[in-house]
Amino acid sequence: MAVLLLILANGISMLKNYIKTGWRMMARNKVLSAINVLGLALGMACCLVIMLWIQHERSIDRYHQNGPFLYSVLERQIHNGNIEVGRGGPGLLAEELKRKFPEIVYAAASTTWDDMRMTFAIGNNVNKETGNFAGADWFRMFSVPLLAGAPATALSTPGSLAISRKLAVKYFGSPEAAMGKTIRIDTKKDYLVTAVFEDLPGISSKKYDFLLSWQDCLERNGWMKDWNNNGPLTYIQVRPDTDMEKLQTKMKHFLKEYNKALDANVFDIELFLQSYGDGYLYSNFKGGQQSGGRIEYIRLFTIVAIFLLLIACINFMNLATARSAKRAREIGVRKVMGAMRGSLAVQFIWEALLYAFLALIFALVTVLLVLPGFNALTGKDIQLPLNNGLFWLTVAGIAVITGLLAGSYPALHLSALAPVRVLKGSLKTGSDAKLFRQGLVIFQFILSMLLISGTLVVYQQMAYVQKKNLGYNRENLIYLRAEGAVATHRYDAFRETLLRTPGIQAVCGIANNFTDAAASTNSVNWTGKDPNSSVEFTQLSVSYDFTKTAGIDLLSGRDFSPAYGTDSGSYMINEAAARTMGLKNPENEKLSLWGKEGKIIGVVKDFHIKSLHTAIQPMIIWLGAASGHDNILVRFKAGETKQAIAGMEDAWNAFNPGIPITYSFVDAEYGKLYEGEIMVGKLSNYFAIIAIFISCLGLLALSSFMAEQRTKEIGVRKVLGASVQHVVMLLSKDFLKLVIIAIILSTPLAWYVMSQWLHNFAYAVHVEWWIFIVAGMLALTIALLTISYQSIKAALMNPVKSLRAE
């Protein structure tokens, strides 16, 4: 025991000595020490922010107690050799799966309308609230704690309403007081509060403040009872002992039993399961198989975090090497006094760890300061988990890894210095060490160039997305949600009132908005169609004046018009549909949709109804009942938006007293399609700036080192008449060569990476050569400014001081 205590005491003494020595070195070289700490702190801060974001993303939808047994039911739709994956299915699927498969304990459906807003009215208290429809098993499956009510009965009967704690407090004062009360929704029906649930956590992908019974959804939307129609989402919970492979095999062709018209030779649908927790991160499919989604952002920023930390560590290495001449005598004396190389290496590693932990303090402060802005940019609510022991272990681990990585090369390099040479005042390092240091700088700038080039390409693609002609005019156009009398018997009168309102040009009803017109069908027939062919058509229900209101060009024929009483059996198609059908002159050609025969009266120019990630599909536009549309398109005159909105609100209040108006601008809704890409672009901007800044610190380190190595050479040249400009060019050209090499090496890599990213878009820009020229010139200019400082400082040095040692 005494021996162990003695060893421990010696270890503590040595550690104190290492820390004391390191602290003294930091105090003697305040500027370089500050640069060291700054570089490491920035790298670690970026790493921590990205780590917190990744943890948050990976935790979404994975908090449910039954998570390992929860699955989403998806469809593989196979037609003409193509396989597409759809998340929606028949509205009756959930209950039928539960009835037919004993492995399924619970099943629940919900709609895809995550942002569905309804009017809640309790006396004079009228507001819009966000909610959804859900199956009776919802609260049995998902970990949504009930503050009042029972999971089995919360949504079991028509007219049931479950509300959040927030709504219960808002309308009734407390969760307990809300139970048994009624709320009139959309001025149509009174719903009974049968449950109050805890507000959803930030790590839930679904956002709702109320849930209505699925039976009410089927009652409102009769088409959901048809097995041929898809739309609702289906979730199941299986028994813990379920063989998932066998269950999927049994479910694969389940729909054939209910859709007798399904011909597997022409069009087939296969059911398959995806773990519920994977749905958020893995939303993309290719060839019917899971291929990516938000997980790609996680992978991207994981690489960015590693890059930034590496750049910071390389910066530390170069700064430590640049100071080697000043520490040479110390090392020589220690070695003469008997210090072994191993003990010296350990000392330098401890010094690096001291820097790392000091940088960690500044990194944590930086994270605290930037998190509010980061949350605003990403739409998250991420906090530093300061009371979480695992977080502190992770943070300490990052600091240790950073210190070991950053201190490894300096420790090996400095501990290897020969005492005879350093004590004679001559510090010469081999060509291998020089090449290694230069290689580190080149590597830094390659990483920086990748970030700069990537940022420019993302910016160019986003600019293209915002400026591209979508085939319709999204300026001065809004979606108005149809509710109350306006959605039923008073639509025509409301439309006429709007058309008389100053500033309003055109009005039209539409089933879906242009960013979510996802309804599709393969129940389309035309003259000359191959009976063995199946084509998926997007279908869109509209009312009169559609092309005029949306600003869509008619290539031939006409729009729907009340002057033609037969238009209820007529169709318009887009260019893609005409090409698919092989019709050169489509007008008056016969067309059948869902067995309803009619004729084509017009062909519209192709227009986008989704993001540019998706190619334009064949489309059929049909005339729906004026009172059956969920949205109303309203076109304003340019420059008269304020006046038109005021008039629209007055008209709404006259027709729908007591119902708040809900509208959104089409261009704003379109912008939401690219929130992920815009976020990535903005974050890339910031990280690219940080990367180039830290890289320049590394370049400053190398220029400092080279200036130290060539001090006497510079003195001799100045004595022989060399000008300041000549000396600056002499020192700068070597560094600029490194940056140019980095530019050359990074260009093909950046081109490949960004080309792969652009493949995610059906419509994308080309990676232009000038992007790499701009990125290279930017990096070169910043590098030159950095080098110039140290070069000019060395060139202005008094040659007498430089040569004094001789």
Side-chain angles (χ1 to χ4, degrees):
M1 178 63 72
V3 174
L4 290 175
L5 290 174
L6 182 61
I7 293 173
L8 180 61
N10 287 335
I12 294 174
S13 177
M14 288 178 63
L15 178 59
K16 288 174 63 177
N17 184 54
Y18 289 150
I19 294 174
K20 186 184 297 183
T21 303
W23 187 260
R24 286 173 179 170
M25 291 304 303
M26 292 174 67
R28 289 175 191 168
N29 303 275
K30 293 183 177 63
V31 175
L32 287 181
S33 297
I35 292 175
N36 258 332
V37 172
L38 175 61
L40 289 175
L42 284 174
M44 293 170 72
C46 291
C47 192
L48 283 172
V49 169
I50 292 173
M51 181 195 74
L52 290 170
W53 176 76
I54 289 174
Q55 283 182 338
H56 187 276
E57 288 290 280
R58 285 193 171 278
S59 65
I60 288 179
D61 288 341
R62 296 181 184 273
Y63 63 96
H64 298 286
Q65 186 176 353
N66 298 319
F69 316 115
L70 294 175
Y71 293 87
S72 301
V73 182
L74 279 63
E75 290 185 355
R76 287 192 186 98
Q77 300 174 357
I78 307 166
H79 54 94
N80 292 341
N82 297 318
I83 303 177
E84 296 180 0
V85 171
R87 291 191 171 275
L92 302 175
L93 182 60
E95 287 300 318
E96 196 66 6
L97 287 174
K98 180 182 174 182
R99 189 173 71 85
K100 285 294 184 73
F101 296 99
E103 297 94 334
I104 298 175
V105 182
Y106 301 118
S110 77
T111 62
T112 57
W113 312 316
D114 288 337
D115 59 347
M116 183 176 69
R117 292 175 63 79
M118 292 186 175
T119 302
F120 274 40
I122 301 177
N124 295 325
N125 192 0
V126 181
N127 299 283
K128 292 284 186 181
E129 307 296 352
T130 302
N132 211 326
F133 293 95
D137 288 340
W138 190 267
F139 291 107
R140 289 175 166 181
M141 298 168 62
F142 299 102
S143 297
V144 183
L146 291 184
L147 305 176
T153 58
L155 297 170
S156 60
T157 57
S160 300
L161 170 64
I163 62 176
S164 67
R165 175 197 291 269
K166 182 177 72 174
L167 293 191
V169 173
K170 178 178 179 179
Y171 290 104
F172 304 105
S174 69
E176 294 76 17
M179 288 295 293
K181 299 295 194 304
T182 60
I183 299 177
R184 178 161 285 264
I185 297 180
D186 285 349
T187 68
K188 295 178 182 178
K189 181 178 177 179
D190 289 332
Y191 287 82
L192 181 69
V193 177
T194 53
V196 179
F197 57 88
E198 187 59 82
D199 295 337
L200 297 179
I203 53 175
S204 171
S205 65
K206 293 187 174 297
K207 307 296 181 185
Y208 53 84
D209 284 320
F210 70 87
L211 290 175
L212 299 175
S213 165
W214 187 247
Q215 297 177 52
D216 286 299
C217 185
L218 295 177
E219 186 179 313
R220 289 186 178 205
N221 303 279
W223 62 269
M224 290 186 181
K225 299 178 183 179
D226 189 336
W227 286 92
N228 293 311
N229 292 330
N230 287 343
L233 305 174
T234 301
Y235 306 103
I236 63 171
Q237 180 180 328
V238 301
R239 292 201 322 259
D241 61 346
T242 299
D243 186 326
M244 294 307 301
E245 188 173 339
K246 288 184 179 179
L247 177 60
Q248 295 212 63
T249 301
K250 289 164 62 177
M251 291 176 57
K252 187 174 182 179
H253 299 292
F254 178 77
L255 289 179
K256 285 186 178 180
E257 183 181 342
Y258 299 87
N259 190 344
K260 301 298 183 182
L262 204 63
D263 184 354
N265 296 320
V266 178
F267 182 81
D268 196 12
I269 298 177
E270 298 177 352
L271 296 182
F272 71 101
L273 302 176
Q274 181 187 39
S275 174
Y276 180 76
D278 289 344
Y280 177 78
L281 292 179
Y282 299 91
S283 57
N284 295 344
F285 293 83
K286 187 175 183 179
Q289 301 300 320
Q290 190 170 278
S291 65
R294 288 182 177 87
I295 189 66
E296 293 169 4
Y297 292 147
I298 287 180
R299 292 166 181 162
L300 170 66
F301 283 110
T302 298
I303 293 171
V304 169
I306 294 172
F307 279 6
L308 288 170
L309 200 57
L310 275 176
I311 291 172
C313 290
I314 291 170
N315 172 57
F316 181 92
M317 293 178 190
N318 281 331
L319 281 170
T321 307
R323 292 165 50 194
S324 60
K326 294 184 177 180
R327 301 201 66 175
R329 293 185 183 279
E330 173 200 344
I331 295 164
V333 170
R334 283 178 177 269
K335 282 197 169 186
V336 169
M337 296 296 292
M340 302 298 292
R341 181 179 179 182
S343 63
L344 289 172
V346 170
Q347 176 188 330
F348 295 129
I349 288 292
W350 272 108
E351 288 182 15
L353 288 172
L354 180 61
Y355 275 104
F357 277 95
L358 185 59
L360 177 62
I361 297 172
F362 288 99
L364 288 171
V365 173
T366 303
V367 171
L368 282 171
L369 294 175
V370 303
L371 266 183
F374 183 82
N375 286 334
L377 177 61
T378 59
K380 306 294 183 183
D381 185 22
I382 302 172
Q383 304 295 330
L384 269 179
L386 300 177
N387 59 346
N388 188 323
L390 182 61
F391 167 75
W392 287 110
L393 285 175
T394 304
V395 166
I398 291 175
V400 170
I401 291 171
T402 303
L404 292 175
L405 185 63
S408 58
Y409 174 68
L412 293 174
H413 170 72
L414 293 175
S415 63
L417 296 178
V420 176
R421 289 182 179 180
V422 296
L423 290 176
K424 288 175 65 177
S426 174
L427 176 62
K428 294 187 179 289
T429 56
S431 59
D432 290 343
K434 179 180 178 182
L435 288 174
F436 182 72
R437 287 190 300 273
Q438 292 176 340
L440 291 178
V441 173
I442 291 172
F443 183 64
Q444 278 186 314
F445 273 87
I446 287 176
L447 300 184
S448 299
M449 278 292 298
L450 285 174
L451 287 172
I452 295 171
S453 302
T455 298
L456 291 175
V457 173
V458 171
Y459 173 81
Q460 190 183 21
Q461 176 63 16
M462 290 301 100
Y464 171 77
V465 163
Q466 297 299 325
K467 294 177 182 177
K468 179 174 170 50
N469 182 0
L470 301 176
Y472 67 91
N473 182 6
R474 66 179 185 267
E475 302 296 327
N476 305 307
L477 188 64
I478 70 163
Y479 298 118
L480 174 62
R481 178 175 166 80
E483 298 178 80
V486 168
T488 55
H489 60 287
R490 303 296 304 278
Y491 169 78
D492 290 331
F494 178 69
R495 177 176 179 272
E496 292 300 322
T497 302
L498 289 183
L499 290 175
R500 294 193 299 268
T501 301
I504 294 180
Q505 282 184 324
V507 180
C508 168
I510 185 171
N512 302 89
N513 60 43
F514 288 143
T515 58
D516 189 30
S520 61
T521 181
N522 68 328
S523 298
V524 180
N525 289 291
W526 63 91
T527 304
K529 180 186 177 184
D530 182 352
N532 295 319
S533 172
S534 174
V535 181
E536 194 79 4
F537 283 78
T538 299
Q539 57 88 11
L540 185 63
S541 173
V542 301
S543 66
Y544 299 122
D545 287 343
F546 170 63
T547 57
K548 177 182 177 182
T549 309
I552 296 172
D553 292 335
L554 264 170
L555 298 180
S556 64
R558 62 176 178 82
D559 197 346
F560 301 116
S561 170
Y564 296 85
T566 59
D567 273 1
S568 59
S570 300
Y571 303 102
M572 290 192 294
I573 62 173
N574 66 350
E575 294 174 276
R579 289 192 298 270
T580 300
M581 296 184 212
L583 302 176
K584 294 184 178 179
N585 299 300
E587 283 181 66
N588 297 317
E589 290 285 346
K590 291 183 179 179
L591 182 68
S592 170
L593 174 65
W594 301 315
K596 183 178 179 181
E597 291 191 359
K599 66 177 182 178
I600 299 171
I601 62 170
V603 180
V604 300
K605 189 174 181 179
D606 282 341
F607 62 95
H608 293 269
I609 57 169
K610 294 182 182 178
S611 74
L612 297 188
H613 291 282
T614 307
I616 294 176
Q617 300 295 321
M619 174 184 285
I620 293 179
I621 305 168
W622 54 283
L623 184 66
S627 60
H629 294 124
D630 294 326
N631 296 286
I632 301 171
L633 278 178
V634 182
R635 164 77 58 190
F636 300 150
K637 294 178 182 177
E640 299 184 29
T641 302
K642 187 175 181 180
Q643 178 185 9
I645 288 179
M648 182 181 70
E649 290 176 341
D650 290 340
W652 178 272
N653 292 331
F655 282 86
N656 274 338
I659 301 179
I661 189 171
T662 302
Y663 62 87
S664 59
F665 287 87
V666 173
D667 53 357
E669 292 297 311
Y670 177 72
K672 291 179 182 178
L673 294 175
Y674 306 98
E675 287 180 340
E677 287 84 359
I678 291 171
M679 178 200 73
V680 168
K682 290 181 178 178
L683 288 178
S684 297
N685 288 341
Y686 299 134
F687 290 140
I689 292 170
I690 293 171
I692 198 72
F693 177 75
I694 299 175
S695 296
C696 286
L697 290 179
L699 198 59
L700 180 65
L702 188 59
S703 63
S704 174
F705 176 80
M706 294 297 289
E708 281 188 314
Q709 292 292 90
R710 303 178 71 173
T711 299
K712 293 181 177 61
E713 176 192 347
I714 294 170
V716 171
R717 287 180 179 274
K718 291 193 71 175
V719 168
L720 294 176
S723 64
V724 172
Q725 293 86 346
H726 176 79
V727 173
V728 170
M729 287 302 299
L730 179 70
L731 294 175
S732 299
K733 67 179 182 179
D734 291 335
F735 308 129
L736 295 181
K737 286 178 184 177
L738 302 179
V739 179
I740 292 171
I741 292 172
I743 292 171
I744 294 171
L745 293 176
S746 66
T747 296
L749 181 59
W751 176 86
Y752 174 78
V753 171
M754 297 317 299
S755 295
Q756 292 300 308
W757 179 74
L758 290 173
H759 284 165
N760 293 322
F761 293 84
Y763 306 89
V765 297
H766 296 290
V767 183
E768 302 287 351
W769 60 269
W770 60 263
I771 288 176
F772 305 106
I773 298 295
V774 171
M777 291 301 296
L778 181 61
L780 205 58
T781 301
I782 295 173
L784 183 60
L785 291 174
T786 305
I787 296 165
S788 297
Y789 165 76
Q790 191 64 41
S791 299
I792 293 171
K793 180 181 176 182
L796 293 175
M797 186 181 297
N798 189 337
V800 175
K801 292 182 179 180
S802 303
L803 299 173
R804 183 174 294 165
E806 297 295 324

